[in-house]
Amino acid sequence: MKVAAGVARASERLASAGCESSRVDAEFLVAHVRGTTRSSVLVDGDQPLSDDAVAELEGLVARRERREPLAYVLGEWGFRRLTLKVDPRVLIPRPETEIVVERCLALISELDEPRVLDVGTGSGAIALAIVDEHPGARVTGIDASTDALDVARLNALNMGLAVEFVEWDLFTGLPADSWDLVVSNPPYVRPDEIELLEPEVRGWEPRAALVGEGATEAIARGAQAAMGVGGGLVLEVAEGDAGRVSGLLRELGYTDVQVTRDLSGRERVVEGVTTYDD
Ligand SMILES: C[S@@+](CC[C@H](N)C(=O)[O-])C[C@H]1O[C@@H](n2cnc3c(N)ncnc32)[C@H](O)[C@@H]1O
């Protein structure tokens, strides 16, 4: 079978299974079994696929047909400049979370060795991207899931990036330290919304990474208690929730509260600065 035929066949099967981006997914899967990039798949359409590649492709397409997310099927996913190992123990890092990192980097840009706490670190995406792009940053990632922390530690090891990962339940408060910045992409899906999500999300991603009632509020309060005056807080928020979270930060006494839009123009990131010690 040639590369182009492999893509076409995989794409048809994925479309029949209801996968929205069947063609793109098929290109990624064929690239994966060839050990090349997606763009080379597009130019190598006439090249043959080896028997081994065809057999491996069959297994991957079958997984994706069951609506397993493409990132889990590939076993890795791009986030800013990093390629992170991902599997069902962790949330797949999203493009809007890259904007969260963008805001963090802006807030710590003047500091040589900023202390940063990433709450609900998951795969370590935010923590690792900050160290990668601000090598002086000293970052701690906390998560209640030991499974997620195992993945985060593996990612740090694979990329040679130094981040401290600690098991911690955010509802007990946040670890006090001289943090310059607390950042979080907390679980923010309401329990009644979970069934409305795509099968890839509701069927495969960890429930604890999606649903966490009160997590945003707990982090906003905890960050204030854990940081000194002038510390920054950056939060990813659900679509439509930026106004409420901005109001919450103002009520708690944060200043310089501002909202940043993601690349699709949706208000997804809220930040503020602490004004007093708890
Ligand atoms: C939305 S995911 C974010 C993962 C990663 N930071 C990212 O942006 O891709 C939320 C994370 O919070 C963690 N989490 C959920 N409840 C928690 C709790 N009570 N204490 C600490 N972490 C928690 C989950 O295990 C999950 O890794």
Side-chain angles (χ1 to χ4, degrees):
M1 188 191 300
K2 294 199 169 156
V3 166
V7 170
R9 189 176 297 185
S11 174
E12 269 168 38
R13 282 176 56 182
L14 297 183
S16 303
C19 299
E20 259 182 30
S21 50
S22 55
R23 175 82 198 182
V24 171
D25 287 14
E27 288 165 3
F28 269 113
L29 294 176
V30 172
H32 186 80
V33 299
R34 295 180 78 221
T36 58
T37 60
R38 195 180 139 219
S39 47
S40 77
V41 165
L42 302 178
V43 292
D44 288 350
D46 275 343
Q47 298 294 312
L49 277 175
S50 70
D51 290 347
D52 283 352
V54 171
E56 191 185 352
L57 183 62
E58 166 59 34
L60 300 183
V61 171
R63 286 173 63 188
R64 186 72 189 99
E65 277 182 315
R66 291 193 290 273
R67 305 299 294 270
E68 182 172 350
L70 181 66
Y72 292 159
V73 176
L74 296 173
E76 60 184 29
W77 202 239
F79 183 75
R80 292 188 68 90
R81 307 192 311 197
L82 306 174
T83 302
L84 299 161
K85 295 276 174 217
V86 289
D87 63 34
R89 291 175 292 177
V90 293
L91 187 98
I92 300 159
R94 306 291 204 272
E96 53 269 28
T97 310
E98 300 200 7
I99 308 297
V100 170
V101 173
E102 195 81 45
R103 289 309 309 148
C104 292
L105 293 169
L107 290 172
I108 60 176
S109 64
E110 303 290 311
L111 304 174
D112 290 338
E113 292 190 349
R115 294 280 293 116
V116 179
L117 179 67
D118 174 23
V119 181
T121 196
S123 63
I126 296 173
L128 292 165
I130 290 174
V131 175
D132 180 47
E133 297 184 53
H134 188 325
R138 289 180 295 139
V139 184
T140 298
I142 59 173
D143 206 292
S145 160
T146 52
D147 275 351
L149 289 168
D150 286 344
V151 176
R153 289 191 184 105
L154 178 65
N155 277 321
L157 192 69
N158 286 347
M159 285 173 282
L161 294 170
V163 169
E164 177 191 37
F165 290 109
V166 179
E167 186 182 346
W168 190 285
D169 180 352
L170 67 88
F171 288 108
T172 64
L174 299 184
D177 207 326
S178 49
W179 309 115
D180 297 294
L181 179 73
V182 173
V183 54
S184 186
N185 171 19
Y188 50 66
V189 177
R190 289 201 318 269
D192 59 311
E193 288 174 334
I194 197 96
E195 290 311 317
L196 306 174
L197 301 175
E198 294 159 355
E200 282 83 351
V201 181
R202 66 177 139 85
W204 290 90
E205 294 196 270
R207 183 74 45 134
L210 301 168
V211 180
E213 280 187 293
T216 298
E217 289 75 4
I219 294 164
R221 290 178 196 281
Q224 220 173 18
M227 280 193 287
V229 174
L233 173 67
V234 178
L235 291 170
E236 182 169 321
V237 299
E239 200 175 341
D241 209 21
R244 185 189 68 84
V245 175
S246 302
L248 170 73
L249 295 198
R250 287 196 191 93
E251 259 172 47
L252 291 173
Y254 284 86
T255 60
D256 301 335
V257 175
Q258 76 173 60
V259 174
T260 305
R261 291 174 188 271
D262 67 12
L263 294 176
S264 327
R266 295 168 305 179
E267 296 186 331
R268 298 301 304 276
V269 185
V270 178
E271 67 188 63
V273 174
T274 53
T275 50
Y276 63 87
D277 287 313
D278 201 54

